[in-house]
Amino acid sequence: MFLQSILEIASIIIIVYAMALIQSHFFAFFSGRNLEYECHFSTDEAFEGEQIYIIETVTNRKKLPVLWLKAELDTSKWLDFAESESVVTHNTRFVTSNFILKGGQRITRKWPVYCTKRGSYSIENVALVWSDILGMKSNSLHINVNANLIVYPSIMDLQKIGLSRKTLMGDITANRWINEDPFITSGVRSYSEFDPLNRIHWLSTAKTGKLMSRKNEFTSDKKLFIILNMQSTPDDIEEVLDKEIAEFNIKIAASLIDEAFSKSIPVQLAVNGVIDRNDNLRGIVSNDGMDRQHSKSLLYYLAQLELKVSERFLTFLESLNIQNDSHALLITPYINDSLLASAMSLSSKGINTSVIIGGYCDSKDLNAGIDIYCIDPSQKI
């Protein structure tokens, strides 16, 4: 009797094990059949600090359910998945998501993602892993998704960081009589019988009790030539030493490009940096333009910049062909006597020249005879 009971228990165990083994092979083999997976970013471009989404869609096109499915993707650590468990190793973020699908079911899942740093990002492949209900046997498949995203540098408010839009954006007040610009108002004055009615400044008229007229500047058309120095210190040779301050100066350049576009001012960009890690022989010099596509192409250059130096800034500056109708705007993390002398040399040639120091500078540097703006990178923008 005892032996019979043992045999019955053993038979049950064998049957259960056999059934478990059969189902494991069955589900491991058939779960991946007629299974579709898609993954993409909600947009192909964004700015630093913005939230976008990664959208996953899984479709089970068979009647058999998928009891357990895991999608494993990896991307840059600078894309912060706000509502998911992820593991960061060096510069890579690994994210997993789990699904259970009925027969014929489709599931769409949106992951909020914060773009924490400029750059070019992608999700190239996603690994799908499925198993049976007991996890005895699994199978996998790699899906090529090729999801791409470009993250532009964040745009700062120029006035909040102490930059004058009228002075920096290219419609420079002329030293000679050319044309009175109706869009640049420098103040008010008493109304003249020769002024048109649309020149009347009604708010000042109400305050003073007499007719007042807008006073406009005289301007000449200028294009903005932004020249960005990727050397964070004069000692940077190939690699940028102070990466944080270099990133701050890239943001300044992006903000000026965005402002120039909003004012329809032609802008040109030159950077002693590189986009391709393997190409450090020359810098980047763009054409000038003022349409939306041109503005995006310049922001694209800034988004792609490696924190590397193609050549010393003074050498790069001397190689540039800067026309007299350009407003040369040098953006640099530091200032020294040699760089200051080069800027003043441009000014002496009749080229309107200004310098923005996106870093720490001595007050004596600000008395050089050209416009110099010192922007503290530690301020909260």
Side-chain angles (χ1 to χ4, degrees):
M1 189 70 179
F2 177 73
L3 182 59
Q4 184 178 356
S5 298
I6 292 178
L7 291 174
E8 289 176 355
I9 293 173
S11 300
I12 293 172
I13 292 174
I14 292 172
I15 292 172
V16 170
Y17 178 76
M19 292 179 61
L21 197 61
I22 292 171
Q23 70 83 30
S24 69
H25 284 279
F26 180 81
F27 281 104
F29 182 79
F30 287 102
S31 290
R33 297 285 186 92
N34 297 320
L35 191 65
E36 297 177 0
Y37 177 87
E38 296 178 2
C39 178
H40 64 275
F41 294 104
S42 58
T43 179
D44 56 4
E45 55 186 25
F47 285 87
E48 277 180 298
E50 285 188 352
Q51 177 184 286
I52 63 168
Y53 294 92
I54 287 182
I55 302 172
E56 289 183 296
T57 302
V58 182
T59 306
N60 182 17
R61 297 195 176 278
K62 58 183 177 297
K63 294 182 179 180
L64 182 71
V66 178
L67 303 178
W68 181 80
L69 176 70
K70 179 172 69 173
E72 300 175 333
L73 62 89
D74 60 86
T75 186
S76 171
K77 73 173 183 178
W78 303 113
L79 298 180
D80 187 7
F81 283 65
E83 298 179 3
S84 68
E85 295 183 3
S86 60
V87 177
V88 175
T89 303
H90 190 47
N91 289 321
T92 303
R93 182 183 299 274
F94 298 92
V95 183
T96 60
S97 52
N98 298 299
F99 301 87
I100 297 175
L101 295 100
K102 301 176 184 177
Q105 185 181 15
R106 171 181 292 178
I107 295 177
T108 298
R109 187 172 292 167
K110 295 174 66 175
W111 299 99
V113 176
Y114 289 95
C115 305
T116 62
K117 186 178 179 181
R118 67 174 182 90
S120 179
Y121 305 110
S122 64
I123 302 173
E124 297 182 358
N125 297 289
V126 174
L128 296 183
V129 181
W130 59 87
S131 179
D132 62 287
I133 193 170
L134 299 177
M136 296 178 63
K137 187 175 179 61
S138 61
N139 211 335
S140 63
L141 175 68
H142 283 79
I143 305 293
N144 188 5
V145 295
N146 283 333
N148 298 298
L149 172 70
I150 186 77
V151 177
Y152 301 125
S154 60
I155 304 300
M156 300 184 292
D157 188 316
L158 295 179
Q159 290 183 328
K160 287 185 178 181
I161 61 174
L163 299 180
S164 167
R165 294 181 180 182
K166 187 178 76 172
T167 302
L168 297 176
M169 294 324 304
D171 275 341
I172 310 302
T173 303
N175 293 323
R176 63 189 187 280
W177 185 283
I178 302 180
N179 290 307
E180 195 173 35
D181 192 332
F183 298 104
I184 299 181
T185 302
S186 61
V188 294
R189 57 175 172 77
S190 297
Y191 181 75
S192 166
E193 60 179 315
F194 300 105
D195 291 335
L197 291 176
N198 64 3
R199 188 69 62 82
I200 296 175
H201 193 284
W202 293 107
L203 182 59
S204 297
T205 297
K207 288 181 178 180
T208 61
K210 62 179 182 179
L211 285 175
M212 301 296 290
S213 178
R214 291 183 177 87
K215 180 183 177 183
N216 295 326
E217 294 281 14
F218 299 94
T219 63
S220 59
D221 292 335
K222 291 276 186 179
K223 68 181 179 183
L224 187 64
F225 198 147
I226 297 174
I227 308 167
L228 175 62
N229 181 12
M230 286 298 292
Q231 285 182 275
S232 62
T233 72
D235 299 323
D236 293 7
I237 298 177
E238 291 185 358
E239 296 290 332
V240 173
L241 298 179
D242 192 331
K243 294 176 173 50
E244 188 172 331
I245 203 169
E247 291 288 353
F248 181 71
N249 281 264
I250 290 172
K251 289 182 176 66
I252 293 175
S255 303
L256 289 166
I257 291 170
D258 182 72
E259 183 68 18
F261 167 71
S262 71
K263 296 288 190 292
S264 298
I265 298 170
V267 62
Q268 187 172 2
L269 175 68
V271 188
N272 63 327
V274 297
I275 290 177
D276 186 347
R277 292 178 182 271
N278 299 316
D279 180 13
N280 59 355
L281 300 179
R282 62 178 185 273
I284 300 162
V285 182
S286 77
N287 297 321
D288 64 87
M290 62 182 182
D291 60 12
R292 179 178 293 276
Q293 189 58 41
H294 179 72
S295 175
K296 287 178 63 174
S297 69
L298 298 187
L299 292 177
Y300 179 81
Y301 286 143
L302 295 179
Q304 294 274 74
L305 273 178
E306 298 285 344
L307 293 178
K308 294 171 69 73
V309 179
S310 62
E311 58 186 305
R312 292 189 178 275
F313 185 62
L314 294 181
T315 304
F316 179 68
L317 188 59
E318 291 174 359
S319 70
L320 297 176
N321 181 21
I322 307 173
Q323 303 298 320
N324 285 341
D325 64 344
S326 296
H327 177 197
L329 185 51
L330 281 57
I331 304 174
T332 174
Y334 65 90
I335 191 77
N336 57 18
D337 291 341
S338 298
L339 200 157
L340 189 57
S342 294
M344 295 184 69
S345 176
L346 289 176
S347 182
S348 68
K349 295 175 183 177
I351 299 171
N352 197 336
T353 305
S354 302
V355 178
I356 296 177
I357 308 169
Y360 304 98
C361 54
D362 198 306
S363 58
K364 67 179 179 63
D365 298 325
L366 306 181
N367 300 315
I370 60 175
D371 290 332
I372 298 180
Y373 304 84
C374 191
I375 312 300
D376 185 353
S378 67
Q379 62 183 310
K380 303 297 182 182
I381 307 299

